[in-house]
Every structure is written in C-alpha cells, then in structure tokens.
Amino acid sequence: IYEPFDWKNYMKATNSQPAPAQCFKQSSSPPQNDFKLDQKLEALDPRNLTSTCIATVVGILGPRLRLRLDGSDNKNDFWRLVDSNEIHPIGHCEKGGGMLQPPLGFRMNASMWPQFLMKTLSMAEMAPIKAFKREPPVPAGNFFKVGMKLEAVDKKNPMLICAATVGEVKNDMVHVTFDGWRGAFDYWCRYDSRDIFPVGWCAKSGHPLQPPGKKAQGGTNRYRARVSNVQPSTMVPAATETDENTPLSLRKEQSKSSG
Ligand code: MLY
C-alpha cells in the first residue's frame, strides 16, 4: 500500500515551513498527463542541447515522462515534465527550419541516420499536440530562504522526487539538500529549475514522493532519530551501494548481510 508522506506532521515536528508556491517555476495545479507509453515526440538531447532528437515515452509518473532517444541505448533515459519547454510534437523542429539529429551515442554508423529517421517516423505513434502543455512562467526572483521545505528530483536517481530542504541561497541559485541523507545527493540549481516543487506537489499530481531518509541529523534535531524505527521507507539500498549513499540506520543490516 502506498501511504503518502505526512508533510504536515513532519514540518510540525521539525518546526519547519514549506517554500511558498510563488518560489517555483511550476504551475499551481500540476498539469494532466495525456501522453501514452510508446508515443514519440521531439526532445532536446540532454547530453547535447543543440540537437533536437526523436524520443519515445518509455515511462509515465504523474505529470512526468521517462524518455529514451531513438537510436540511443537504454542507459541514458531522462525525465521531463509534460509542460517542459524541451519537448515538442513531431514536426516542430522542421517547422522552425531545423533538422532532427541523431542522439549522442547513435548506435549505428552516422551515414545510416537519414534512413533510420525515415523508418522511425513512418512507424511512429506520435504524441498528440494537446498532450504538450505550456511551460509555466518564471518567478519574479529568487524567493527561497534557508530552511524552507520542498520536493526535489534526486539527480542521481532522477526517477525519484524526495523530501528536501533549502540549505543555502546565493544570487539566482538554491542549494537543495535531501532530508535524512548524506550530502552526496545535494546540488545547486537555479530558483527557476523544473526539478524542484512545492510541498504537496507529488500528492496533488499523483507522483510518488520519497520520504526523508533515516540518517539522524546531528545537533538538536532528534525527530528523525526518534521516528526512524516506525517510519516506512520505500528505499531499499542495493547490496553494492557505497556507504556514502546509504542511510546510517541501514548500514548495520547491510554489513550484517554482506558478511
Ligand atoms: N542509490 C540509492 C538511492 C538513494 C536515494 C537517495 N535520495 C532519496 C536522496 C539506493 O539505491 O538505495
């Protein structure tokens, strides 16, 4: 059973506040996802942003799409919101006078590209234009403050959106830290990043939310230490996981089971 994380209780217990919705470049009501698996669209190659490529929807979570570039491998999937500016219906690139490009790491000889493209497009089930939603406006400035709670994509595991806290703010940048996890997952992003969401966005949009990890914070915050025995966690660390990526409370079990 999927039990949504109780932000209200958690913020009360940690004496913290959510970042207000106006901080984010996200629409106030998460967009509906009208895409279907296997549909094709145009996407910027995340590894080469000057290229527009053909992508296939290989996964759907709430308003997000898991995309795979046609002609690429299955090791470089990436996620986009349905209101991302980096995805478009088939035909958009050509309309703008551009040409569809092979993805970085195209599996075949480059000379095969025109043929590959023709065949791919002829067999394509194209995502309908109405599935592409308009990108929300950029907030007027960086309104984030240290300590505010939010939901953020784990860039090392981009399928996951997790409970997070603003750790630092500098100019247009925000330091995202993940509650109950070591610093290895932290990152800086712009305040208008599409990878950060207001508290409650996952619940509203039907996207799963990763609850805080089980690493007790040092200092006076005893909340996570106290609840760590009863709080369900959906994360099961792989046996090969490095210590750095593993919540402290799970390390004992890990070393036990690995001898
Ligand atoms: N690699 C880890 C996942 C860690 C997720 C950390 N996020 C939630 C900050 C694993 O496989 O368990």
Side-chain angles (χ1 to χ4, degrees), residues 154 157 160 162 178 181 185 210 235-238 241 245:
D154 173 355
N157 305 277
L160 305 178
C162 318
F178 291 93
W181 292 89
F185 298 99
Q210 299 309 123
M235 296 311 310
V236 179
E241 196 54 79
N245 292 358

Side-chain angles (χ1 to χ4, degrees), residues 24-31 83 134-137 194 198 201 204:
F24 299 89
K25 183 178 177 178
Q26 303 292 350
S27 68
S28 48
S29 50
D83 58 359
R134 192 184 301 284
E135 193 180 50
R194 300 307 315 280
W201 186 91
K204 254 201 222 173

Side-chain angles (χ1 to χ4, degrees), residues 126-179:
M126 294 190 279
I129 291 167
K130 70 154 179 72
F132 297 82
K133 314 293 184 200
R134 192 184 301 284
E135 193 180 50
V138 177
N142 187 353
F143 304 128
F144 286 100
K145 298 275 176 283
V146 170
M148 286 176 168
K149 298 292 181 193
L150 67 160
E151 299 177 357
V153 172
D154 173 355
K155 294 208 194 206
K156 292 191 175 171
N157 305 277
M159 170 191 279
L160 305 178
I161 298 183
C162 318
T165 305
V166 175
E168 242 179 288
V169 179
K170 201 175 179 188
N171 302 324
D172 284 350
M173 305 298 285
V174 180
H175 194 232
V176 175
T177 68
F178 291 93
D179 288 37

Side-chain angles (χ1 to χ4, degrees), residues 15-248:
N15 189 27
S16 53
Q17 302 292 326
Q22 310 82 258
C23 292
F24 299 89
K25 183 178 177 178
Q26 303 292 350
S27 68
S28 48
S29 50
Q32 195 176 302
N33 197 330
D34 296 322
F35 288 85
K36 302 259 179 307
L37 285 178
D38 294 329
Q39 287 179 340
K40 293 193 193 296
L41 49 99
E42 294 182 359
L44 293 187
D45 184 343
R47 295 191 289 170
N48 181 17
L49 291 173
T50 58
S51 285
T52 303
C53 302
I54 298 286
T56 301
V57 177
V58 296
I60 292 178
L61 270 186
R64 294 205 302 160
L65 306 171
R66 181 180 179 137
L67 299 176
R68 185 172 299 164
L69 298 182
D70 285 74
S72 176
D73 53 56
N74 58 5
K75 302 275 144 56
N76 290 285
D77 292 354
F78 54 102
W79 291 81
R80 290 291 175 265
L81 288 158
V82 299
D83 58 359
S84 165
N85 206 21
E86 297 182 357
I87 58 171
H88 295 285
I90 303 274
H92 176 269
C93 179
E94 199 173 302
K95 232 185 266 170
M99 257 165 62
L100 291 170
Q101 301 294 322
L104 201 87
F106 183 49
R107 286 187 274 101
M108 294 168 217
N109 192 296
S111 64
M112 296 295 288
W113 173 245
Q115 222 176 305
F116 178 89
L117 181 60
M118 285 275 264
K119 190 168 171 209
T120 301
L121 289 177
S122 71
M123 301 188 309
E125 186 200 333
M126 294 190 279
I129 291 167
K130 70 154 179 72
F132 297 82
K133 314 293 184 200
R134 192 184 301 284
E135 193 180 50
V138 177
N142 187 353
F143 304 128
F144 286 100
K145 298 275 176 283
V146 170
M148 286 176 168
K149 298 292 181 193
L150 67 160
E151 299 177 357
V153 172
D154 173 355
K155 294 208 194 206
K156 292 191 175 171
N157 305 277
M159 170 191 279
L160 305 178
I161 298 183
C162 318
T165 305
V166 175
E168 242 179 288
V169 179
K170 201 175 179 188
N171 302 324
D172 284 350
M173 305 298 285
V174 180
H175 194 232
V176 175
T177 68
F178 291 93
D179 288 37
W181 292 89
R182 314 204 130 241
F185 298 99
D186 297 358
Y187 58 84
W188 284 93
C189 65
R190 285 182 50 88
Y191 67 89
D192 56 359
S193 164
R194 300 307 315 280
D195 286 336
I196 54 178
F197 306 87
V199 162
W201 186 91
C202 281
K204 254 201 222 173
S205 66
H207 193 291
L209 173 70
Q210 299 309 123
K214 297 183 176 185
K215 169 181 172 270
Q217 304 265 298
T220 56
N221 186 352
R222 293 161 59 224
Y223 175 71
R224 285 181 205 99
R226 191 157 46 76
V227 298
S228 65
N229 292 334
V230 293
Q231 195 175 33
S233 170
T234 55
M235 296 311 310
V236 179
T240 54
E241 196 54 79
T242 57
D243 243 18
E244 178 77 353
N245 292 358
T246 306
L248 287 176

